[in-house]
Amino acid sequence: MPDEVKSIAATRLAYPPSKSALGELAPSESRFWTGDHYNQGNFQEDIFDKAKEECGVFGVFGHPDAAGLSYYGLHALQHRGEESCGICTTEDETFNYHRGMGLVKEVFDRERLEALKGDRAIGHVRYSTSGSSKLANAQPLVFKYRDGDLAVCTNGNLVNEPIIRRELEEQGSIFQTSSDTEVIAHLIARSPKDLVDAVKDAFARLIGGYAFLIMTKDRLIAACDPNGFRPLVMGRLGDAYVFASETCAFETIGAEYVRDVEPGEILVLDKNGLREDRFAPMERRAVCAMEYIYFARPDSDIYQVNLHSARKRMGRHLALEAFVDADIVTGVPDSSISAAIGYAEQTGIPYELGLIKNKYTGRTFIQPSQELREKGVKMKLSAVRKVVEGKRVVMIDDSIVRGTTSLRIVNMLREAGATEVHVRISSPPFMNPCYYGIDTPNPRDLIANTKTVEEIRKAINADSLYFLSKNGLMEAVGKHEGEKNRGLCLSCFDHDYPTQVQFELAKTTSCSCD
């Protein structure tokens, strides 16, 4: 067995709590905040100026090759997090796990996977929302507590994590990571109730967007927050149950989709089979709109809505709302291609590959100097001169965050000979920070927070600019008619947050929920 794969030797969680002697910490001394704004991460290093999803989760219950399935499932979810990954399995009450920095294919090889014995597993891919990436914060997090071993992984963000963490520290808890995922383990460990009731009580204390997978020696628990911000789906592979952040992972392993895990629902799998329960009523369905717009893979379904089809409808609605006479339509690869096809089909303007993405450049090409950043953009994206030269181009993108990349791409098209560049965005203006699991910059750096549409148009050097309306977006997704915002969270567009948010704390701090 490789040294990196070991039987669990994990953090001991104190129970019952001992009295804390730490006293009050000044805000600047708090270990779990870094940076100068909420959810600050490696956003500023992203050449394509996109908001980032935090994580993806995958779980297996009852399959002899749980580790192998988890490997392929996490590989399918790699787009949700590229900085670290991990798998934990259990067999005969023994936990084995391996975690590492990097892509799934880099962290795991055949030898490591063969050492992860067991028919139950949970796995995780992570995008850090702190300024640095740390192996200690890679998930699944694995702990010991009074009833044995506990492994936890999550996708999302807990808005009230700082309050709960401070409370637990004052009561004697000692945290080993800066991850808000560790909070749930401490809450479970401190409860005198049995596991399921302890988990339900712990979830009832949380505010935020999250999809959890929790594993013990004999149980696998899956749960979603009461608003359903973050997606989680359940499937079957023979007699085994599988869980994933997106259905594309099921296609990869040959599993059959069963259903989405509902907001406020908790599913418990043990030797007696599947038990469906709730820890909270659905408060207001608020699925993250950015999952439909950008984050999820186009071959995935969320609440049985296919993402490629939804994005094509976004492009069609854009065409109806903001037609412009042009020669070709092109999409910024890869996430905007579906919307560009929809726009082209609706208008009759030919769709062309006017922009090509180089898939083989990595983070090493992202440099701090402006000159090298400009070269980095051209290394990752190229305009096809023979396609755009002498043409009036409609450029479709899914969002504008800072505006820096949009300016570079518009100028790239002009340098390649485009006579006009009309920009159409398949989402409303991104104006507000997210508190539910998306890495977003300081509100002052969100271009739509400080500029009008006309000012943004001038800033990105476009001939015209139009953002999809909220109604157009909701119609394009086309689900949950009769519910507020048709079951979507649109807070990054309209500042209508579905949960309580401590804005003053959020404005001056940064959650390192990695």
Side-chain angles (χ1 to χ4, degrees):
M1 180 179 298
D3 292 339
E4 296 89 348
V5 181
K6 45 192 175 293
S7 293
I8 177 171
T11 306
R12 177 71 65 178
L13 298 177
Y15 185 86
S18 59
K19 184 177 180 181
S20 172
L22 296 177
E24 285 294 320
L25 294 176
S28 61
E29 297 175 307
S30 174
R31 293 196 307 276
F32 45 90
W33 295 112
T34 59
D36 61 3
H37 60 268
Y38 191 90
N39 252 15
Q40 178 184 359
N42 296 325
F43 187 97
Q44 59 190 7
E45 298 176 4
D46 182 9
I47 253 178
F48 284 106
D49 191 27
K50 297 291 186 183
K52 290 292 188 180
E53 174 64 81
E54 276 195 17
C55 312
V57 298
F58 187 86
V60 181
F61 188 91
H63 194 283
D65 188 21
L69 292 179
S70 297
Y71 172 85
Y72 287 108
L74 293 178
H75 191 273
L77 299 173
Q78 188 74 83
H79 60 287
R80 299 185 73 88
E82 301 180 359
E83 293 188 359
S84 69
C85 60
I87 297 172
C88 178
T89 64
T90 178
E91 179 188 42
D92 298 329
E93 301 187 9
T94 299
F95 272 32
N96 296 294
Y97 67 95
H98 178 66
R99 300 174 301 188
M101 305 303 295
L103 303 177
V104 175
K105 66 180 181 180
E106 298 167 344
V107 172
F108 292 97
D109 56 24
R110 182 182 298 275
E111 185 181 8
R112 289 191 174 113
L113 288 172
E114 288 178 348
L116 296 174
K117 304 295 186 182
D119 66 350
R120 285 149 287 161
I122 60 174
H124 190 265
V125 290
R126 167 178 165 265
Y127 169 76
S128 169
T129 54
S130 69
S132 64
S133 299
K134 301 176 182 177
L135 180 58
N137 290 327
Q139 297 184 32
L141 297 180
V142 185
F143 308 92
K144 282 190 177 292
Y145 79 123
R146 68 182 185 279
D147 289 335
D149 301 327
L150 183 74
V152 185
C153 61
T154 186
N155 167 35
N157 191 72
L158 306 181
V159 174
N160 63 335
E161 183 266 356
I163 297 171
I164 298 175
R165 181 182 286 251
R166 176 65 63 87
E167 175 188 313
L168 291 170
E169 287 181 327
E170 290 175 346
Q171 294 173 356
S173 292
I174 299 174
F175 285 80
Q176 302 299 313
T177 75
S178 60
S179 170
D180 60 357
T181 306
E182 190 176 355
V183 166
I184 193 71
H186 282 268
L187 290 173
I188 294 169
R190 301 175 75 88
S191 173
K193 299 181 179 180
D194 65 50
L195 176 69
V196 175
D197 287 336
V199 170
K200 290 166 69 173
D201 287 349
F203 286 152
R205 292 206 56 192
L206 305 180
I207 299 174
Y210 54 84
F212 269 100
L213 291 179
I214 299 174
M215 187 173 69
T216 67
K217 62 184 179 182
D218 55 6
R219 287 174 176 166
L220 181 65
I221 296 174
C224 279
D225 68 81
N227 298 97
F229 289 105
R230 307 263 70 88
L232 186 63
V233 289
M234 179 175 71
R236 294 294 299 269
L237 182 60
D239 294 330
Y241 286 87
V242 289
F243 295 89
S245 292
E246 295 182 34
T247 58
C248 63
F250 295 166
E251 296 293 332
T252 300
I253 64 171
E256 178 186 4
Y257 164 83
V258 175
R259 67 179 181 87
D260 290 69
V261 180
E262 290 293 324
E265 186 176 32
I266 182 171
L267 303 178
V268 182
L269 280 158
D270 57 23
K271 63 181 181 181
N272 298 317
L274 174 67
R275 177 157 64 93
E276 302 172 342
D277 201 349
R278 301 197 69 86
F279 67 91
M282 184 177 73
E283 296 177 357
R284 162 190 159 189
R285 194 191 309 271
V287 183
C288 175
M290 290 301 291
E291 294 281 359
Y292 290 97
I293 295 164
Y294 168 65
F295 289 136
R297 262 177 44 169
D299 54 333
S300 287
D301 299 342
I302 297 178
Y303 285 102
Q304 302 180 54
V305 175
N306 174 254
L307 275 301
H308 169 68
S309 299
R311 290 167 187 168
K312 280 186 65 176
R313 291 193 293 271
M314 292 174 199
R316 288 182 176 275
H317 278 276
L318 258 180
L320 293 171
E321 293 179 7
F323 171 81
V324 61
D325 192 17
D327 301 307
I328 63 170
V329 176
T330 192
V332 178
D334 292 314
S335 58
S336 305
I337 291 177
S338 298
I341 293 172
Y343 190 98
E345 289 180 351
Q346 183 65 38
T347 60
I349 301 172
Y351 169 78
E352 292 282 358
L353 288 175
L355 295 165
I356 300 294
K357 183 178 180 180
N358 181 356
K359 300 179 184 296
Y360 300 101
T361 55
R363 296 178 186 274
T364 53
F365 296 113
I366 302 177
Q367 302 292 341
S369 72
Q370 183 66 22
E371 180 182 359
L372 290 177
R373 282 178 62 86
E374 296 291 344
K375 287 183 171 62
V377 170
K378 291 183 178 181
M379 291 181 73
K380 284 203 167 188
L381 197 67
S382 300
V384 185
R385 180 175 295 274
K386 295 300 183 182
V387 170
V388 304
E389 192 172 28
K391 303 289 177 51
R392 298 168 297 169
V393 178
V394 179
M395 184 192 91
I396 308 293
D397 205 353
D398 50 66
S399 60
I400 297 180
V401 182
R402 296 178 190 269
T404 51
T405 298
S406 298
L407 172 62
R408 294 184 184 116
I409 298 175
V410 169
N411 286 342
M412 187 184 299
L413 290 167
R414 292 192 187 282
E415 290 168 6
T419 58
E420 297 176 10
V421 181
H422 301 275
V423 177
R424 297 293 182 267
I425 306 299
S426 59
S427 65
F430 197 118
M431 303 177 66
N432 309 294
C434 175
Y435 303 99
Y436 307 116
I438 300 175
D439 182 23
T440 51
N442 189 307
R444 295 187 300 272
D445 295 328
L446 293 168
I447 192 169
N449 185 273
T450 59
K451 295 182 184 297
T452 65
V453 173
E454 174 60 17
E455 289 171 337
I456 298 172
R457 182 196 67 77
K458 292 179 180 178
I460 66 173
N461 195 27
D463 289 285
S464 68
L465 171 66
Y466 189 88
F467 292 86
L468 181 64
S469 67
K470 278 177 52 179
N471 285 336
L473 173 61
M474 290 186 287
E475 287 292 325
V477 174
K479 194 69 176 177
H480 306 303
E481 191 171 358
E483 297 185 22
K484 184 170 184 178
N485 289 342
R486 299 199 68 164
L488 297 176
C489 175
L490 304 174
S491 56
C492 54
F493 309 128
D494 62 10
H495 205 266
D496 179 14
Y497 294 95
T499 73
Q500 178 185 1
V501 175
Q502 292 181 296
F503 294 105
E504 293 307 311
L505 179 64
K507 287 178 182 177
T508 58
T509 55
S510 168
C511 180
S512 58
C513 308
D514 46 344

